[in-house]
Amino acid sequence: MGAPERRQAILTVITLAVMAVFGGRLVYVQAIKGPAIAQVALDDRLTTTTLPADRGEITDANGVALAVSVERYTITADQTLIASWDPTSATTPDQRGPAGAAAALAPLLELDPAELGAKLVGDRRYVILKKDVLPEVRNAVMELAIPGINAERTTERVYPAGAVGGNVIGFVGADGKGQAGIEYSLNSELSGTAGSETYERGMGYVKIPGGYDKTTPAKPGASVQLTILRDLQYKAQTAVDAMVAKTQADGAAAVVYDVTNGDILALVDSGSVNPNDPGATPAALRGSRAVSNAFEPGSTAKVITMSAALEEGIGTPTSQYEIPGQLDLGAAGTVHDAEVHGLERLTMTGILAKSSNIGAVMIGRQLPKQVRYDYLKKFGFGTATGVGLPGETAGILHPADQWDGRTEYNVLFGQGVAVNAVQDTGVFATIGNGGVHVAPHLVKGVTDADGTYHPVVPTETRVISQKTAHEVLTMLESVVDAGTGTAAQISGYLVAGKTGTSQGADKSGGLTNMTASFIGIVPADKPRLAVSVVVFHPRTSEYGGTVAAPVFSEIASYALQELGIAPSGATATPYASEW
């Protein structure tokens, strides 16, 4: 064996070599790789959660809340951590772990203890126990300090007015995104931008006090101010629903249109959806049929025929016509009026007041076909209004060169074309505004999260001259004074308006489904509102003067009072209807 000194020297060298290796490794780990390793460890402890953005409010024109987002919480559980819960107050096994947690949580969450206990047992890291929990309930849950029980902040969309304006406001889905109405069409503006929080967590995914914590705040959505008035919307909805029940109609719509600025003060569909519970309404009825349903306007479109005739100089309000009991159009067939009559001597005003199809054709056939089309187009037929709701129809207006022999005459009394209720009302709004069409809109303005308000500025287009508009308006007074629309009269106010009745195809293709309507302008001496009532397939009567005109009177009367519009300061001075 070698000398002890030699063995000691070898062992010393080996020891020093090992120490050098470990020392070098330690320097490498701590000095060179240390920051990177520490970052990996930190990253492993970091968790990021989404901070939902508060959805913007929707209000009526006066700032009354119609849709708001309220603070709510989702209570979740990490099953792997709950088994360790052992409160100091526990004296028996069933007061610890999942059983004890369920017993403590169930009364607060209003859940069955046995069912809740089953959700707390297992190895799942994320289980939803209850959604839409109130803040005070969340606070009580978190005070229990049960490992693995967490609360995530969310929001719940609430509609304080219920079904009032539901067809306009719309609603959101489970994902918080708009599904109908303004909630859908302005979803990006209302949604805002979600934020995030990244923090350092310890055991039980609990945030480490003083640890890494970086928050990017959520940006709230913009608030939307509508043009509708909640109380007027409620009154109109109530009146329309009552009329539908009384007439056994398939449905109805009503529009209150401020002729001076295009504001839609009420937009009503019968059986409006309640956004708080949209599932209670059939899917097909959750939107606004006032913009999605196209129907033949019938005699309300005679206003366009009269406007075109006056504007083109082929007659005056007192031009005289002999109206036969029927009008033979050769290959195009025969035109009849709603009531059988002998020869009548009517002025242009009388033709409108008595709603004569024969008279409308006698006047309108003096206009070239393209001119007839041009005036329908200028008054908004065939073009969506852009009122602001999804699913709006543009209606039907075929080019003049595609009209068959009958259609070229039918369009003169509102058949062979189709419109939605807002388009139809817009014709009368144009007459009431001196021949200038102001685009209808439901949004008055949008306020950004920073408080900047962006008002909506509608477009304006002159359609006919002020002189023609005034003459037609005066002619329409005769309809209400002594024509087919006497049921639309309002005490103390001059009313100008027109009845409408048309047929629509039923499911078998037959022309049996009637549409009855009345559209009026009030006060006629100083126009402010155009109000329409459209009734789809009423069973008790098919005439607009019978089923729609009384509802017009009810809605318009309330609107005049709501807006503080003074009674008419003049008496009617109608043109002569007969000669």
Side-chain angles (χ1 to χ4, degrees), residues 186 223-227 441-447 453-456:
L186 294 183
S223 294
V224 175
Q225 182 184 28
L226 301 182
T227 58
H441 52 279
L442 282 162
V443 177
K444 198 175 191 70
V446 176
T447 301
Y453 181 71
H454 304 278
V456 170

Side-chain angles (χ1 to χ4, degrees), residues 360-380:
V361 172
M362 291 176 64
I363 295 169
R365 66 181 174 181
Q366 300 176 68
L367 299 166
K369 287 195 299 182
Q370 187 61 44
V371 173
R372 302 173 207 178
Y373 171 88
D374 290 343
Y375 275 92
L376 290 166
K377 192 71 174 179
K378 286 199 295 183
F379 270 99

